[in-house]
Structures are given as C-alpha cells and as structure tokens.
Amino acid sequence: MKKYILPGILIFIILFVTFAVFEEINKFDPKQKRLVCQEKTTTFEKIDFENPIWETNNLIESNNFIIKSDIQYSKFMDSHLVNILTVKQADEILNTILKKYITSNTPSEKKLLIDYYIYENDKKDKGKKGSKSKLYAGYILFEFKLDNKLVYKIQTDYMDIDANDIEERMTCAIESFLTIK
C-alpha cells in the first residue's frame, strides 16, 4: 500500500501543476494592452478563442472580407464629425489600411464580416457619467465575424475632435486583430 502512496502523490502534484500552468497560459485580460498602439487611448478587446481566429486573419490577407459600417453623430450637441467624416470616407480610410495586409486575391466561399461604427462622444448627453466620460472625442468599435459568429471585438477611443487620429485608431484595431494567431 505504501508503494502506491508516493506515486499517487507525485501524479497528483504533476496534474495540479500542469492544470495551473495551463490556466495561466490561457488567461486573457481584456484590459491588458498587447500592443503599444493600444496604450495611446482607452482600448478594450474581446477574443473568442472558441472560433477559429487564425482562419479569419487569413481571410483579410486573402482579400475575402466584407465591410459594414456606420457613424453615430452626436445628437445633444452640435456634431463636429458630421462636417468632417462620412461613412464613405471612413470606409476609404479602412480600405487603404486593409490593402497593406492583403497578400493575395485567393477566392474563398467564406467571407469575414468587418462590422464597425464610429461613435462621436455626445458630451451634452445627460446620461454621461462624470467628467472622464467627456475627455475623448469618440470611439471606434470593430467586430470581426465569421459565419455570423463574433471572433474578435475591439473598442478604441479617438481623441481629436477634428478626427485626425481616426486613421491611427483604425490601424491599431486592424493590427490588434491580425496579431492574434
């Protein structure tokens, strides 16, 4: 009986340590900043590890994606963005960014949906909670979907009221997505 106790304890310890290491490796903190560009403004991301994110990255690289977009201009205050940026212009900016990552034009039945919108921070909205919610000009929210399933989501603030940093924030969102392999 004693000869089984020591091996049993060793197996228990090995399994415990293996499980602890596995859990630590697979932790993902959405507030953790993986890239330098994510540190520039408030950025949150959500990764769905259940869906094949590497397949979605390849769809961008092979030019198999569809863009769906919108802009939500402020309603309670005069919009600065409405005279500066249209959905068509925003899509042109995004397409220019995406072209840098396209390495082939390989047709695929699967298409990645890049669903994004730009939100202009409505500083006169009575629902705003505190002064910190009025510090940014707006945010961009990207959702990357395959077969109607969310695989990645990122929200990042833009700070310039004249929208000069929107291209930079879009680039950060695309780079953040493509660095997950």
PDB file of all heavy atoms in Angstrom, residues 33 35-44 93-94 97 118 138-142 154-160 163-176:
ATOM      1  N   LYS A  33      -2.950  45.521 -22.278  1.00  0.00           N
ATOM      2  CA  LYS A  33      -2.569  46.102 -23.560  1.00  0.00           C
ATOM      3  C   LYS A  33      -1.498  45.226 -24.195  1.00  0.00           C
ATOM      4  O   LYS A  33      -0.410  45.071 -23.670  1.00  0.00           O
ATOM      5  CB  LYS A  33      -2.058  47.529 -23.378  1.00  0.00           C
ATOM      6  CG  LYS A  33      -3.021  48.433 -22.619  1.00  0.00           C
ATOM      7  CD  LYS A  33      -4.380  48.503 -23.243  1.00  0.00           C
ATOM      8  CE  LYS A  33      -5.301  49.396 -22.452  1.00  0.00           C
ATOM      9  NZ  LYS A  33      -6.671  49.050 -22.558  1.00  0.00           N
ATOM     10  N   LEU A  35      -0.420  45.631 -27.471  1.00  0.00           N
ATOM     11  CA  LEU A  35       0.360  46.404 -28.437  1.00  0.00           C
ATOM     12  C   LEU A  35       0.555  47.822 -27.925  1.00  0.00           C
ATOM     13  O   LEU A  35      -0.279  48.353 -27.187  1.00  0.00           O
ATOM     14  CB  LEU A  35      -0.361  46.452 -29.791  1.00  0.00           C
ATOM     15  CG  LEU A  35      -0.679  45.119 -30.458  1.00  0.00           C
ATOM     16  CD1 LEU A  35      -1.500  45.347 -31.719  1.00  0.00           C
ATOM     17  CD2 LEU A  35       0.583  44.360 -30.784  1.00  0.00           C
ATOM     18  N   VAL A  36       1.611  48.451 -28.376  1.00  0.00           N
ATOM     19  CA  VAL A  36       1.903  49.828 -27.971  1.00  0.00           C
ATOM     20  C   VAL A  36       0.766  50.766 -28.381  1.00  0.00           C
ATOM     21  O   VAL A  36       0.380  51.651 -27.620  1.00  0.00           O
ATOM     22  CB  VAL A  36       3.249  50.297 -28.567  1.00  0.00           C
ATOM     23  CG1 VAL A  36       3.493  51.764 -28.299  1.00  0.00           C
ATOM     24  CG2 VAL A  36       4.391  49.456 -28.010  1.00  0.00           C
ATOM     25  N   CYS A  37       0.198  50.545 -29.563  1.00  0.00           N
ATOM     26  CA  CYS A  37      -0.862  51.440 -30.034  1.00  0.00           C
ATOM     27  C   CYS A  37      -2.102  51.386 -29.132  1.00  0.00           C
ATOM     28  O   CYS A  37      -2.863  52.340 -29.073  1.00  0.00           O
ATOM     29  CB  CYS A  37      -1.247  51.121 -31.479  1.00  0.00           C
ATOM     30  SG  CYS A  37      -2.137  49.566 -31.725  1.00  0.00           S
ATOM     31  N   GLN A  38      -2.299  50.291 -28.424  1.00  0.00           N
ATOM     32  CA  GLN A  38      -3.446  50.169 -27.530  1.00  0.00           C
ATOM     33  C   GLN A  38      -3.278  51.015 -26.265  1.00  0.00           C
ATOM     34  O   GLN A  38      -4.247  51.317 -25.592  1.00  0.00           O
ATOM     35  CB  GLN A  38      -3.665  48.708 -27.131  1.00  0.00           C
ATOM     36  CG  GLN A  38      -4.086  47.838 -28.286  1.00  0.00           C
ATOM     37  CD  GLN A  38      -4.216  46.386 -27.886  1.00  0.00           C
ATOM     38  OE1 GLN A  38      -3.716  45.948 -26.849  1.00  0.00           O
ATOM     39  NE2 GLN A  38      -4.882  45.608 -28.716  1.00  0.00           N
ATOM     40  N   GLU A  39      -2.038  51.400 -25.971  1.00  0.00           N
ATOM     41  CA  GLU A  39      -1.770  52.202 -24.777  1.00  0.00           C
ATOM     42  C   GLU A  39      -2.041  53.688 -24.996  1.00  0.00           C
ATOM     43  O   GLU A  39      -2.145  54.441 -24.038  1.00  0.00           O
ATOM     44  CB  GLU A  39      -0.318  52.001 -24.338  1.00  0.00           C
ATOM     45  CG  GLU A  39      -0.030  50.580 -23.891  1.00  0.00           C
ATOM     46  CD  GLU A  39       1.434  50.334 -23.593  1.00  0.00           C
ATOM     47  OE1 GLU A  39       2.242  51.288 -23.700  1.00  0.00           O
ATOM     48  OE2 GLU A  39       1.768  49.190 -23.249  1.00  0.00           O
ATOM     49  N   LYS A  40      -2.167  54.122 -26.245  1.00  0.00           N
ATOM     50  CA  LYS A  40      -2.349  55.539 -26.547  1.00  0.00           C
ATOM     51  C   LYS A  40      -3.685  56.082 -26.070  1.00  0.00           C
ATOM     52  O   LYS A  40      -3.775  57.236 -25.673  1.00  0.00           O
ATOM     53  CB  LYS A  40      -2.180  55.797 -28.041  1.00  0.00           C
ATOM     54  CG  LYS A  40      -0.750  55.721 -28.500  1.00  0.00           C
ATOM     55  CD  LYS A  40      -0.615  56.243 -29.903  1.00  0.00           C
ATOM     56  CE  LYS A  40       0.847  56.374 -30.256  1.00  0.00           C
ATOM     57  NZ  LYS A  40       1.021  57.060 -31.525  1.00  0.00           N
ATOM     58  N   THR A  41      -4.735  55.265 -26.184  1.00  0.00           N
ATOM     59  CA  THR A  41      -6.055  55.676 -25.721  1.00  0.00           C
ATOM     60  C   THR A  41      -6.702  54.479 -25.032  1.00  0.00           C
ATOM     61  O   THR A  41      -6.182  53.372 -25.069  1.00  0.00           O
ATOM     62  CB  THR A  41      -6.966  56.128 -26.893  1.00  0.00           C
ATOM     63  OG1 THR A  41      -7.251  55.013 -27.724  1.00  0.00           O
ATOM     64  CG2 THR A  41      -6.351  57.254 -27.690  1.00  0.00           C
ATOM     65  N   THR A  42      -7.843  54.714 -24.425  1.00  0.00           N
ATOM     66  CA  THR A  42      -8.566  53.617 -23.793  1.00  0.00           C
ATOM     67  C   THR A  42      -8.973  52.623 -24.871  1.00  0.00           C
ATOM     68  O   THR A  42      -9.598  52.992 -25.867  1.00  0.00           O
ATOM     69  CB  THR A  42      -9.812  54.141 -23.050  1.00  0.00           C
ATOM     70  OG1 THR A  42      -9.377  55.099 -22.077  1.00  0.00           O
ATOM     71  CG2 THR A  42     -10.556  53.015 -22.372  1.00  0.00           C
ATOM     72  N   THR A  43      -8.583  51.373 -24.667  1.00  0.00           N
ATOM     73  CA  THR A  43      -8.854  50.321 -25.636  1.00  0.00           C
ATOM     74  C   THR A  43      -9.269  49.062 -24.892  1.00  0.00           C
ATOM     75  O   THR A  43      -8.628  48.675 -23.925  1.00  0.00           O
ATOM     76  CB  THR A  43      -7.602  50.036 -26.499  1.00  0.00           C
ATOM     77  OG1 THR A  43      -7.222  51.228 -27.168  1.00  0.00           O
ATOM     78  CG2 THR A  43      -7.853  48.948 -27.516  1.00  0.00           C
ATOM     79  N   PHE A  44     -10.344  48.447 -25.361  1.00  0.00           N
ATOM     80  CA  PHE A  44     -10.819  47.175 -24.816  1.00  0.00           C
ATOM     81  C   PHE A  44     -10.920  46.184 -25.965  1.00  0.00           C
ATOM     82  O   PHE A  44     -11.309  46.561 -27.065  1.00  0.00           O
ATOM     83  CB  PHE A  44     -12.214  47.315 -24.193  1.00  0.00           C
ATOM     84  CG  PHE A  44     -12.301  48.325 -23.103  1.00  0.00           C
ATOM     85  CD1 PHE A  44     -12.830  49.583 -23.356  1.00  0.00           C
ATOM     86  CD2 PHE A  44     -11.869  48.038 -21.821  1.00  0.00           C
ATOM     87  CE1 PHE A  44     -12.925  50.530 -22.358  1.00  0.00           C
ATOM     88  CE2 PHE A  44     -11.958  48.988 -20.816  1.00  0.00           C
ATOM     89  CZ  PHE A  44     -12.490  50.231 -21.078  1.00  0.00           C
ATOM     90  N   ILE A  93     -10.753  55.099 -45.794  1.00  0.00           N
ATOM     91  CA  ILE A  93      -9.615  55.038 -44.871  1.00  0.00           C
ATOM     92  C   ILE A  93      -9.348  53.587 -44.484  1.00  0.00           C
ATOM     93  O   ILE A  93      -8.209  53.112 -44.535  1.00  0.00           O
ATOM     94  CB  ILE A  93      -9.870  55.904 -43.618  1.00  0.00           C
ATOM     95  CG1 ILE A  93      -9.917  57.385 -43.985  1.00  0.00           C
ATOM     96  CG2 ILE A  93      -8.813  55.646 -42.549  1.00  0.00           C
ATOM     97  CD1 ILE A  93     -10.449  58.291 -42.880  1.00  0.00           C
ATOM     98  N   LEU A  94     -10.400  52.877 -44.107  1.00  0.00           N
ATOM     99  CA  LEU A  94     -10.246  51.478 -43.695  1.00  0.00           C
ATOM    100  C   LEU A  94      -9.722  50.617 -44.842  1.00  0.00           C
ATOM    101  O   LEU A  94      -8.824  49.794 -44.641  1.00  0.00           O
ATOM    102  CB  LEU A  94     -11.569  50.927 -43.167  1.00  0.00           C
ATOM    103  CG  LEU A  94     -11.521  49.469 -42.693  1.00  0.00           C
ATOM    104  CD1 LEU A  94     -10.496  49.278 -41.577  1.00  0.00           C
ATOM    105  CD2 LEU A  94     -12.899  49.020 -42.247  1.00  0.00           C
ATOM    106  N   ILE A  97      -6.049  51.048 -45.257  1.00  0.00           N
ATOM    107  CA  ILE A  97      -5.325  50.329 -44.203  1.00  0.00           C
ATOM    108  C   ILE A  97      -5.285  48.840 -44.525  1.00  0.00           C
ATOM    109  O   ILE A  97      -4.223  48.198 -44.450  1.00  0.00           O
ATOM    110  CB  ILE A  97      -5.988  50.573 -42.825  1.00  0.00           C
ATOM    111  CG1 ILE A  97      -5.850  52.040 -42.428  1.00  0.00           C
ATOM    112  CG2 ILE A  97      -5.391  49.653 -41.764  1.00  0.00           C
ATOM    113  CD1 ILE A  97      -6.761  52.465 -41.287  1.00  0.00           C
ATOM    114  N   ILE A 118     -18.302  54.254 -35.936  1.00  0.00           N
ATOM    115  CA  ILE A 118     -17.614  55.359 -35.273  1.00  0.00           C
ATOM    116  C   ILE A 118     -18.675  56.104 -34.466  1.00  0.00           C
ATOM    117  O   ILE A 118     -19.729  56.459 -35.001  1.00  0.00           O
ATOM    118  CB  ILE A 118     -16.951  56.295 -36.298  1.00  0.00           C
ATOM    119  CG1 ILE A 118     -15.915  55.515 -37.119  1.00  0.00           C
ATOM    120  CG2 ILE A 118     -16.326  57.510 -35.610  1.00  0.00           C
ATOM    121  CD1 ILE A 118     -15.361  56.265 -38.313  1.00  0.00           C
ATOM    122  N   GLY A 138     -14.506  60.522 -29.224  1.00  0.00           N
ATOM    123  CA  GLY A 138     -15.400  59.439 -29.616  1.00  0.00           C
ATOM    124  C   GLY A 138     -14.662  58.120 -29.556  1.00  0.00           C
ATOM    125  O   GLY A 138     -13.543  58.046 -29.059  1.00  0.00           O
ATOM    126  N   TYR A 139     -15.294  57.091 -30.078  1.00  0.00           N
ATOM    127  CA  TYR A 139     -14.621  55.796 -30.139  1.00  0.00           C
ATOM    128  C   TYR A 139     -15.002  55.070 -31.418  1.00  0.00           C
ATOM    129  O   TYR A 139     -15.975  55.406 -32.087  1.00  0.00           O
ATOM    130  CB  TYR A 139     -14.904  54.942 -28.902  1.00  0.00           C
ATOM    131  CG  TYR A 139     -16.340  54.507 -28.720  1.00  0.00           C
ATOM    132  CD1 TYR A 139     -16.880  53.428 -29.413  1.00  0.00           C
ATOM    133  CD2 TYR A 139     -17.175  55.173 -27.814  1.00  0.00           C
ATOM    134  CE1 TYR A 139     -18.198  53.028 -29.235  1.00  0.00           C
ATOM    135  CE2 TYR A 139     -18.488  54.778 -27.622  1.00  0.00           C
ATOM    136  CZ  TYR A 139     -18.987  53.700 -28.336  1.00  0.00           C
ATOM    137  OH  TYR A 139     -20.293  53.311 -28.157  1.00  0.00           O
ATOM    138  N   ILE A 140     -14.182  54.081 -31.734  1.00  0.00           N
ATOM    139  CA  ILE A 140     -14.441  53.211 -32.873  1.00  0.00           C
ATOM    140  C   ILE A 140     -14.613  51.803 -32.324  1.00  0.00           C
ATOM    141  O   ILE A 140     -13.793  51.342 -31.527  1.00  0.00           O
ATOM    142  CB  ILE A 140     -13.282  53.243 -33.883  1.00  0.00           C
ATOM    143  CG1 ILE A 140     -12.993  54.675 -34.326  1.00  0.00           C
ATOM    144  CG2 ILE A 140     -13.599  52.368 -35.089  1.00  0.00           C
ATOM    145  CD1 ILE A 140     -11.739  54.827 -35.145  1.00  0.00           C
ATOM    146  N   LEU A 141     -15.663  51.140 -32.739  1.00  0.00           N
ATOM    147  CA  LEU A 141     -15.922  49.773 -32.312  1.00  0.00           C
ATOM    148  C   LEU A 141     -15.890  48.865 -33.531  1.00  0.00           C
ATOM    149  O   LEU A 141     -16.623  49.101 -34.502  1.00  0.00           O
ATOM    150  CB  LEU A 141     -17.285  49.660 -31.630  1.00  0.00           C
ATOM    151  CG  LEU A 141     -17.632  48.250 -31.190  1.00  0.00           C
ATOM    152  CD1 LEU A 141     -17.053  47.989 -29.804  1.00  0.00           C
ATOM    153  CD2 LEU A 141     -19.119  48.042 -31.185  1.00  0.00           C
ATOM    154  N   PHE A 142     -15.013  47.862 -33.508  1.00  0.00           N
ATOM    155  CA  PHE A 142     -14.903  46.880 -34.582  1.00  0.00           C
ATOM    156  C   PHE A 142     -15.354  45.525 -34.074  1.00  0.00           C
ATOM    157  O   PHE A 142     -14.975  45.105 -32.969  1.00  0.00           O
ATOM    158  CB  PHE A 142     -13.444  46.726 -35.039  1.00  0.00           C
ATOM    159  CG  PHE A 142     -12.988  47.751 -36.025  1.00  0.00           C
ATOM    160  CD1 PHE A 142     -12.447  48.947 -35.592  1.00  0.00           C
ATOM    161  CD2 PHE A 142     -13.066  47.503 -37.388  1.00  0.00           C
ATOM    162  CE1 PHE A 142     -11.997  49.891 -36.504  1.00  0.00           C
ATOM    163  CE2 PHE A 142     -12.623  48.443 -38.308  1.00  0.00           C
ATOM    164  CZ  PHE A 142     -12.087  49.635 -37.863  1.00  0.00           C
ATOM    165  N   ILE A 154     -13.079  44.909 -30.717  1.00  0.00           N
ATOM    166  CA  ILE A 154     -12.183  45.904 -30.128  1.00  0.00           C
ATOM    167  C   ILE A 154     -12.859  47.269 -30.168  1.00  0.00           C
ATOM    168  O   ILE A 154     -13.522  47.624 -31.149  1.00  0.00           O
ATOM    169  CB  ILE A 154     -10.806  45.951 -30.830  1.00  0.00           C
ATOM    170  CG1 ILE A 154      -9.846  46.908 -30.103  1.00  0.00           C
ATOM    171  CG2 ILE A 154     -10.943  46.267 -32.297  1.00  0.00           C
ATOM    172  CD1 ILE A 154      -8.402  46.781 -30.548  1.00  0.00           C
ATOM    173  N   GLN A 155     -12.700  47.988 -29.076  1.00  0.00           N
ATOM    174  CA  GLN A 155     -13.176  49.368 -28.997  1.00  0.00           C
ATOM    175  C   GLN A 155     -11.997  50.227 -28.587  1.00  0.00           C
ATOM    176  O   GLN A 155     -11.298  49.910 -27.635  1.00  0.00           O
ATOM    177  CB  GLN A 155     -14.297  49.499 -27.967  1.00  0.00           C
ATOM    178  CG  GLN A 155     -14.784  50.926 -27.803  1.00  0.00           C
ATOM    179  CD  GLN A 155     -15.906  51.035 -26.788  1.00  0.00           C
ATOM    180  OE1 GLN A 155     -16.796  50.201 -26.746  1.00  0.00           O
ATOM    181  NE2 GLN A 155     -15.847  52.066 -25.975  1.00  0.00           N
ATOM    182  N   THR A 156     -11.785  51.303 -29.317  1.00  0.00           N
ATOM    183  CA  THR A 156     -10.673  52.199 -29.014  1.00  0.00           C
ATOM    184  C   THR A 156     -11.126  53.649 -29.178  1.00  0.00           C
ATOM    185  O   THR A 156     -11.843  53.977 -30.123  1.00  0.00           O
ATOM    186  CB  THR A 156      -9.443  51.870 -29.903  1.00  0.00           C
ATOM    187  OG1 THR A 156      -8.330  52.659 -29.485  1.00  0.00           O
ATOM    188  CG2 THR A 156      -9.714  52.060 -31.376  1.00  0.00           C
ATOM    189  N   ASP A 157     -10.739  54.476 -28.242  1.00  0.00           N
ATOM    190  CA  ASP A 157     -11.113  55.894 -28.275  1.00  0.00           C
ATOM    191  C   ASP A 157     -10.270  56.655 -29.285  1.00  0.00           C
ATOM    192  O   ASP A 157      -9.096  56.360 -29.479  1.00  0.00           O
ATOM    193  CB  ASP A 157     -10.903  56.543 -26.901  1.00  0.00           C
ATOM    194  CG  ASP A 157     -11.863  56.052 -25.844  1.00  0.00           C
ATOM    195  OD1 ASP A 157     -12.816  55.324 -26.179  1.00  0.00           O
ATOM    196  OD2 ASP A 157     -11.651  56.400 -24.662  1.00  0.00           O
ATOM    197  N   TYR A 158     -10.872  57.649 -29.913  1.00  0.00           N
ATOM    198  CA  TYR A 158     -10.098  58.638 -30.651  1.00  0.00           C
ATOM    199  C   TYR A 158     -10.245  59.949 -29.885  1.00  0.00           C
ATOM    200  O   TYR A 158     -11.257  60.212 -29.254  1.00  0.00           O
ATOM    201  CB  TYR A 158     -10.503  58.744 -32.130  1.00  0.00           C
ATOM    202  CG  TYR A 158     -11.891  59.253 -32.412  1.00  0.00           C
ATOM    203  CD1 TYR A 158     -12.117  60.608 -32.646  1.00  0.00           C
ATOM    204  CD2 TYR A 158     -12.979  58.387 -32.462  1.00  0.00           C
ATOM    205  CE1 TYR A 158     -13.389  61.080 -32.917  1.00  0.00           C
ATOM    206  CE2 TYR A 158     -14.252  58.850 -32.731  1.00  0.00           C
ATOM    207  CZ  TYR A 158     -14.448  60.193 -32.960  1.00  0.00           C
ATOM    208  OH  TYR A 158     -15.717  60.668 -33.218  1.00  0.00           O
ATOM    209  N   MET A 159      -9.202  60.761 -29.913  1.00  0.00           N
ATOM    210  CA  MET A 159      -9.137  61.914 -29.020  1.00  0.00           C
ATOM    211  C   MET A 159      -9.323  63.256 -29.729  1.00  0.00           C
ATOM    212  O   MET A 159      -9.735  64.221 -29.105  1.00  0.00           O
ATOM    213  CB  MET A 159      -7.798  61.926 -28.273  1.00  0.00           C
ATOM    214  CG  MET A 159      -7.503  60.645 -27.506  1.00  0.00           C
ATOM    215  SD  MET A 159      -8.779  60.175 -26.326  1.00  0.00           S
ATOM    216  CE  MET A 159      -8.563  61.407 -25.070  1.00  0.00           C
ATOM    217  N   ASP A 160      -9.005  63.323 -31.020  1.00  0.00           N
ATOM    218  CA  ASP A 160      -9.047  64.595 -31.745  1.00  0.00           C
ATOM    219  C   ASP A 160     -10.463  64.910 -32.209  1.00  0.00           C
ATOM    220  O   ASP A 160     -11.062  64.134 -32.952  1.00  0.00           O
ATOM    221  CB  ASP A 160      -8.115  64.556 -32.965  1.00  0.00           C
ATOM    222  CG  ASP A 160      -6.657  64.462 -32.563  1.00  0.00           C
ATOM    223  OD1 ASP A 160      -6.330  64.806 -31.413  1.00  0.00           O
ATOM    224  OD2 ASP A 160      -5.847  64.032 -33.406  1.00  0.00           O
ATOM    225  N   ALA A 163     -11.033  64.628 -35.751  1.00  0.00           N
ATOM    226  CA  ALA A 163     -10.926  63.252 -36.270  1.00  0.00           C
ATOM    227  C   ALA A 163      -9.593  62.950 -36.941  1.00  0.00           C
ATOM    228  O   ALA A 163      -9.494  61.989 -37.710  1.00  0.00           O
ATOM    229  CB  ALA A 163     -12.089  62.952 -37.211  1.00  0.00           C
ATOM    230  N   ASN A 164      -8.568  63.720 -36.654  1.00  0.00           N
ATOM    231  CA  ASN A 164      -7.260  63.470 -37.267  1.00  0.00           C
ATOM    232  C   ASN A 164      -6.636  62.148 -36.851  1.00  0.00           C
ATOM    233  O   ASN A 164      -5.749  61.649 -37.541  1.00  0.00           O
ATOM    234  CB  ASN A 164      -6.285  64.616 -36.950  1.00  0.00           C
ATOM    235  CG  ASN A 164      -6.565  65.845 -37.777  1.00  0.00           C
ATOM    236  OD1 ASN A 164      -7.135  65.761 -38.853  1.00  0.00           O
ATOM    237  ND2 ASN A 164      -6.171  66.997 -37.265  1.00  0.00           N
ATOM    238  N   ASP A 165      -7.057  61.580 -35.742  1.00  0.00           N
ATOM    239  CA  ASP A 165      -6.453  60.330 -35.277  1.00  0.00           C
ATOM    240  C   ASP A 165      -7.315  59.099 -35.574  1.00  0.00           C
ATOM    241  O   ASP A 165      -6.990  57.997 -35.136  1.00  0.00           O
ATOM    242  CB  ASP A 165      -6.123  60.409 -33.792  1.00  0.00           C
ATOM    243  CG  ASP A 165      -7.328  60.698 -32.912  1.00  0.00           C
ATOM    244  OD1 ASP A 165      -8.346  61.180 -33.427  1.00  0.00           O
ATOM    245  OD2 ASP A 165      -7.240  60.457 -31.695  1.00  0.00           O
ATOM    246  N   ILE A 166      -8.367  59.247 -36.335  1.00  0.00           N
ATOM    247  CA  ILE A 166      -9.225  58.096 -36.648  1.00  0.00           C
ATOM    248  C   ILE A 166      -8.465  57.054 -37.463  1.00  0.00           C
ATOM    249  O   ILE A 166      -8.573  55.858 -37.193  1.00  0.00           O
ATOM    250  CB  ILE A 166     -10.533  58.537 -37.332  1.00  0.00           C
ATOM    251  CG1 ILE A 166     -11.459  59.113 -36.260  1.00  0.00           C
ATOM    252  CG2 ILE A 166     -11.190  57.388 -38.089  1.00  0.00           C
ATOM    253  CD1 ILE A 166     -12.859  59.394 -36.668  1.00  0.00           C
ATOM    254  N   GLU A 167      -7.682  57.471 -38.426  1.00  0.00           N
ATOM    255  CA  GLU A 167      -6.905  56.506 -39.215  1.00  0.00           C
ATOM    256  C   GLU A 167      -5.938  55.730 -38.317  1.00  0.00           C
ATOM    257  O   GLU A 167      -5.805  54.512 -38.441  1.00  0.00           O
ATOM    258  CB  GLU A 167      -6.138  57.210 -40.334  1.00  0.00           C
ATOM    259  CG  GLU A 167      -5.353  56.244 -41.197  1.00  0.00           C
ATOM    260  CD  GLU A 167      -4.691  56.924 -42.386  1.00  0.00           C
ATOM    261  OE1 GLU A 167      -4.906  58.121 -42.621  1.00  0.00           O
ATOM    262  OE2 GLU A 167      -3.950  56.216 -43.092  1.00  0.00           O
ATOM    263  N   GLU A 168      -5.285  56.421 -37.413  1.00  0.00           N
ATOM    264  CA  GLU A 168      -4.363  55.772 -36.474  1.00  0.00           C
ATOM    265  C   GLU A 168      -5.095  54.752 -35.601  1.00  0.00           C
ATOM    266  O   GLU A 168      -4.607  53.653 -35.361  1.00  0.00           O
ATOM    267  CB  GLU A 168      -3.702  56.837 -35.593  1.00  0.00           C
ATOM    268  CG  GLU A 168      -2.828  56.278 -34.498  1.00  0.00           C
ATOM    269  CD  GLU A 168      -2.370  57.346 -33.508  1.00  0.00           C
ATOM    270  OE1 GLU A 168      -2.588  58.550 -33.754  1.00  0.00           O
ATOM    271  OE2 GLU A 168      -1.818  56.951 -32.471  1.00  0.00           O
ATOM    272  N   ARG A 169      -6.293  55.096 -35.123  1.00  0.00           N
ATOM    273  CA  ARG A 169      -7.049  54.188 -34.262  1.00  0.00           C
ATOM    274  C   ARG A 169      -7.587  52.992 -35.059  1.00  0.00           C
ATOM    275  O   ARG A 169      -7.642  51.871 -34.569  1.00  0.00           O
ATOM    276  CB  ARG A 169      -8.200  54.912 -33.561  1.00  0.00           C
ATOM    277  CG  ARG A 169      -7.807  56.128 -32.725  1.00  0.00           C
ATOM    278  CD  ARG A 169      -6.537  55.966 -31.867  1.00  0.00           C
ATOM    279  NE  ARG A 169      -6.585  54.802 -31.014  1.00  0.00           N
ATOM    280  CZ  ARG A 169      -5.491  54.092 -30.644  1.00  0.00           C
ATOM    281  NH1 ARG A 169      -4.291  54.438 -31.044  1.00  0.00           N
ATOM    282  NH2 ARG A 169      -5.617  53.041 -29.876  1.00  0.00           N
ATOM    283  N   MET A 170      -7.978  53.226 -36.315  1.00  0.00           N
ATOM    284  CA  MET A 170      -8.398  52.110 -37.171  1.00  0.00           C
ATOM    285  C   MET A 170      -7.229  51.162 -37.427  1.00  0.00           C
ATOM    286  O   MET A 170      -7.381  49.936 -37.383  1.00  0.00           O
ATOM    287  CB  MET A 170      -8.938  52.626 -38.508  1.00  0.00           C
ATOM    288  CG  MET A 170     -10.308  53.217 -38.450  1.00  0.00           C
ATOM    289  SD  MET A 170     -10.771  53.732 -40.139  1.00  0.00           S
ATOM    290  CE  MET A 170     -12.539  53.813 -39.971  1.00  0.00           C
ATOM    291  N   THR A 171      -6.068  51.729 -37.699  1.00  0.00           N
ATOM    292  CA  THR A 171      -4.867  50.919 -37.919  1.00  0.00           C
ATOM    293  C   THR A 171      -4.572  50.077 -36.684  1.00  0.00           C
ATOM    294  O   THR A 171      -4.260  48.887 -36.791  1.00  0.00           O
ATOM    295  CB  THR A 171      -3.664  51.820 -38.272  1.00  0.00           C
ATOM    296  OG1 THR A 171      -3.967  52.552 -39.463  1.00  0.00           O
ATOM    297  CG2 THR A 171      -2.395  51.010 -38.462  1.00  0.00           C
ATOM    298  N   CYS A 172      -4.696  50.666 -35.527  1.00  0.00           N
ATOM    299  CA  CYS A 172      -4.459  49.931 -34.277  1.00  0.00           C
ATOM    300  C   CYS A 172      -5.441  48.770 -34.144  1.00  0.00           C
ATOM    301  O   CYS A 172      -5.058  47.661 -33.757  1.00  0.00           O
ATOM    302  CB  CYS A 172      -4.571  50.874 -33.080  1.00  0.00           C
ATOM    303  SG  CYS A 172      -4.224  50.063 -31.502  1.00  0.00           S
ATOM    304  N   ALA A 173      -6.697  49.003 -34.472  1.00  0.00           N
ATOM    305  CA  ALA A 173      -7.703  47.943 -34.368  1.00  0.00           C
ATOM    306  C   ALA A 173      -7.381  46.788 -35.316  1.00  0.00           C
ATOM    307  O   ALA A 173      -7.457  45.614 -34.928  1.00  0.00           O
ATOM    308  CB  ALA A 173      -9.085  48.502 -34.668  1.00  0.00           C
ATOM    309  N   ILE A 174      -7.004  47.095 -36.545  1.00  0.00           N
ATOM    310  CA  ILE A 174      -6.672  46.051 -37.519  1.00  0.00           C
ATOM    311  C   ILE A 174      -5.407  45.313 -37.086  1.00  0.00           C
ATOM    312  O   ILE A 174      -5.349  44.073 -37.119  1.00  0.00           O
ATOM    313  CB  ILE A 174      -6.524  46.644 -38.945  1.00  0.00           C
ATOM    314  CG1 ILE A 174      -7.845  47.269 -39.412  1.00  0.00           C
ATOM    315  CG2 ILE A 174      -6.022  45.586 -39.920  1.00  0.00           C
ATOM    316  CD1 ILE A 174      -9.033  46.327 -39.475  1.00  0.00           C
ATOM    317  N   GLU A 175      -4.382  46.047 -36.663  1.00  0.00           N
ATOM    318  CA  GLU A 175      -3.156  45.405 -36.196  1.00  0.00           C
ATOM    319  C   GLU A 175      -3.419  44.519 -34.984  1.00  0.00           C
ATOM    320  O   GLU A 175      -2.868  43.429 -34.861  1.00  0.00           O
ATOM    321  CB  GLU A 175      -2.088  46.446 -35.869  1.00  0.00           C
ATOM    322  CG  GLU A 175      -1.481  47.087 -37.082  1.00  0.00           C
ATOM    323  CD  GLU A 175      -0.486  48.179 -36.750  1.00  0.00           C
ATOM    324  OE1 GLU A 175      -0.272  48.496 -35.547  1.00  0.00           O
ATOM    325  OE2 GLU A 175       0.081  48.750 -37.701  1.00  0.00           O
ATOM    326  N   SER A 176      -4.268  44.991 -34.078  1.00  0.00           N
ATOM    327  CA  SER A 176      -4.608  44.196 -32.891  1.00  0.00           C
ATOM    328  C   SER A 176      -5.239  42.879 -33.298  1.00  0.00           C
ATOM    329  O   SER A 176      -4.930  41.822 -32.753  1.00  0.00           O
ATOM    330  CB  SER A 176      -5.569  44.987 -31.990  1.00  0.00           C
ATOM    331  OG  SER A 176      -4.957  46.165 -31.518  1.00  0.00           O
TER     332      SER A 176
END
